[in-house]
């Protein structure tokens, strides 16, 4: 009996070894990349379009034979735009799925939560659209991004308000619980004051609030010429409506968070005539934009939004870095990202010492359900 058990144990161990070997081989033949996106929740439009951009990049690279002969497999996780969920799915992707890199997150607040986890585990992470500076400075040396940052976005908004709109008095209204909204509002204020403008009101609310009357009544009495709304499209739409009802006739200004057709669905007439900064314009005639737009429209039958483009860019710059590293080792990919120069759809990507690319922006006008290109801007 003892012998029989011994034999069984040996057989079991041998089987386990074979199984392990098989799994290893299978793992080695694909490159697993994780992606953390808000696929549900308040900004699901951002998450879904980002996923579309990444899937297009994946399809194209695999059609070309993958990276260094290996197919790319992307594992998507939903963070519901909540930092705690974002951190937990990031852990899961690293620990359970053994991804070698991460594309995400979208909301700065989420990317700020995920970055330190990526760096601790030596897993390179690239966020397509998180613009708050803390994403990379607090995230650490494995965290990169494919977009410009909010100090730049704030300065451009201020410059536009002063030079193009001839505004002297501005008011800001932002979400204190959202790093992006708070940061961008503060960067705008700083730049506007420095350029000689007066910030007559700086009002706040909390994430999830839907009644802004108290703040808007105060702002209305101060008669600003521009009102800066630095939140995402759905809240901006709500505020715009309530602001007009409160008698505010200021021009509304905002950042990349405005970029969704839902801005018009929520804001209706009230958002007409507002301006916002963004990462790209679909009206751009640069050849790489035209080419990308055609491929995206063929696959999804819609015009790509800025986060679809940036997600596509983030995926591609990561693929290029993995290829150049010639390895799936996190440290090697990180080093290759650091030195990369890559021609993306939204411009050339070359990272500075804080792992941010230096890029230009566009100013768009919200008009009758459409985003009209106003101009390209650089500082
Ligand atoms: N920049 C926003 C943030 O940092 C995210 C975002 C970018 C959302 C672009 C939409 C479009 O939170």
């Amino acid at each position: 009996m003892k012998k029989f058990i011994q034999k069984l144990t040996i057989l079991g161990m041998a089987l386990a070894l074979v199984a392990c070997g098989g799994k290893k081989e299978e793992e080695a033949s694909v490159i697993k990349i994780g992606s953390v996106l808000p696929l549900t929740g308040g900004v699901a439009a951002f998450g879904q379009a980002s996923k579309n951009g990444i899937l297009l990049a994946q399809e194209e690279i695999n059609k070309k034979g993958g990276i260094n002969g290996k197919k790319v497999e992307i594992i998507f996780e939903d963070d519901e735009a909540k930092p705690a969920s974002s951190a937990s799915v990031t852990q899961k992707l690293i620990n359970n799925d053994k991804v070698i890199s991460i594309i995400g997150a979208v909301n700065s607040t989420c990317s700020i939560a995920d970055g330190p986890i990526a760096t601790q585990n030596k897993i390179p992470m690239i966020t397509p659209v998180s613009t708050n500076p803390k994403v990379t400075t607090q995230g650490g040396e494995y965290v990169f991004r494919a977009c410009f940052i909010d100090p730049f976005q704030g300065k451009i908004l201020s410059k536009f308000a002063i030079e193009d709109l001839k505004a002297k008095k501005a008011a800001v209204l932002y979400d204190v619980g959202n790093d992006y909204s708070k940061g961008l509002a503060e960067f705008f204020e700083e730049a506007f004051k420095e350029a000689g403008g007066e910030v007559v009101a700086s009002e706040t609310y909390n994430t999830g609030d839907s009644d802004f009357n108290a703040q808007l009544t105060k702002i209305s009495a101060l008669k600003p010429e521009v009102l800066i709304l630095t939140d995402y499209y759905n809240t901006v739409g709500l505020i715009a409506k309530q602001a007009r009802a409160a008698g505010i006739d200021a021009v509304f200004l905002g950042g990349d968070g405005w970029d969704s057709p839902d801005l018009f669905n929520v804001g209706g007439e009230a958002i007409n005539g507002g301006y916002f900064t963004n990462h790209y314009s679909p009206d751009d005639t640069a050849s790489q934009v035209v080419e990308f737009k055609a491929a995206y429209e063929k696959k999804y039958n819609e015009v790509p939004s800025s986060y679809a483009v940036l997600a596509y860019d983030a995926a591609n710059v990561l693929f290029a870095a993995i290829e150049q590293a010639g390895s799936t080792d996190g440290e090697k990919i990180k080093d290759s990202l650091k030195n990369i120069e890559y021609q993306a759809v939204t411009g050339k990507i070359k990272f500075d010492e804080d792992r941010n690319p230096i890029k230009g922006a566009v100013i768009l006008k919200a008009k009758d359900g459409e985003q009209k290109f106003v101009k390209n801007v650089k500082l």
Side-chain angles (χ1 to χ4, degrees), residues 21-263:
K23 183 129 193 278
K24 255 204 180 136
E25 231 162 63
E26 182 200 316
E27 261 171 20
S29 65
V30 296
I31 290 180
K32 277 196 199 171
I33 296 173
S35 182
V36 180
L37 302 171
L39 297 170
T40 62
V43 291
F46 290 163
Q48 292 298 343
S50 306
K51 185 175 175 183
N52 287 348
I54 295 169
L55 284 174
L56 178 60
Q58 180 196 24
E59 187 182 298
E60 288 176 357
I61 192 101
N62 283 341
K63 241 187 227 161
K64 283 189 232 153
I67 305 172
N68 299 328
K70 292 179 185 170
K71 292 272 176 209
V72 174
E73 182 191 337
I74 315 262
I75 304 170
F76 290 95
E77 288 292 343
D78 180 15
D79 70 12
E80 308 159 80
K82 294 179 186 151
S85 315
S86 209
S88 108
V89 295
T90 299
Q91 287 281 12
K92 182 224 159 226
L93 284 168
I94 296 174
N95 299 340
N96 301 3
D97 299 310
K98 311 276 181 228
V99 299
I100 58 135
S101 296
I102 289 176
I103 305 167
V106 165
N107 305 67
S108 286
T109 304
C110 292
S111 295
I112 291 169
D114 304 343
I117 300 169
T119 294
Q120 236 166 40
N121 289 281
K122 299 196 169 174
I123 296 293
M125 161 177 150
I126 178 160
T127 165
V129 286
S130 290
T131 44
N132 188 280
K134 286 189 275 182
V135 169
T136 55
T137 54
Q138 287 185 13
E141 58 167 342
Y142 281 74
V143 186
F144 296 77
R145 75 178 106 214
C147 53
F148 54 62
I149 55 173
D150 290 332
F152 168 73
Q153 199 167 202
K155 266 190 204 145
I156 280 180
L157 279 172
S158 158
K159 198 165 182 249
F160 184 75
I162 290 175
E163 289 176 11
D164 296 67
L165 302 177
K166 312 284 174 220
K168 294 189 177 64
K169 289 204 300 183
V172 296
L173 178 57
Y174 63 91
D175 178 352
V176 271
N178 174 332
D179 292 287
Y180 161 70
S181 181
K182 181 168 183 280
L184 182 54
E186 289 171 353
F187 294 123
F188 169 84
E189 281 189 48
E190 211 178 287
F192 195 73
K193 283 182 198 158
E194 207 170 281
E198 187 191 351
V199 178
V200 293
S202 181
E203 292 289 323
T204 62
Y205 53 89
N206 293 304
T207 310
D209 282 0
S210 56
D211 180 353
F212 307 94
N213 270 305
Q215 297 93 321
L216 291 169
T217 308
K218 269 195 210 164
I219 292 173
S220 176
L222 297 162
K223 306 228 169 307
E225 294 143 38
V226 288
L227 172 57
I228 322 302
L229 304 171
T230 56
D231 212 328
Y232 302 129
Y233 55 91
N234 34 21
T235 313
V236 168
L238 265 183
I239 297 177
K241 267 192 169 161
Q242 293 179 23
R244 290 289 180 245
I248 295 176
D249 60 4
V251 177
F252 300 139
L253 290 180
D256 57 347
W258 281 32
D259 183 11
S260 167
D262 282 344
L263 176 73

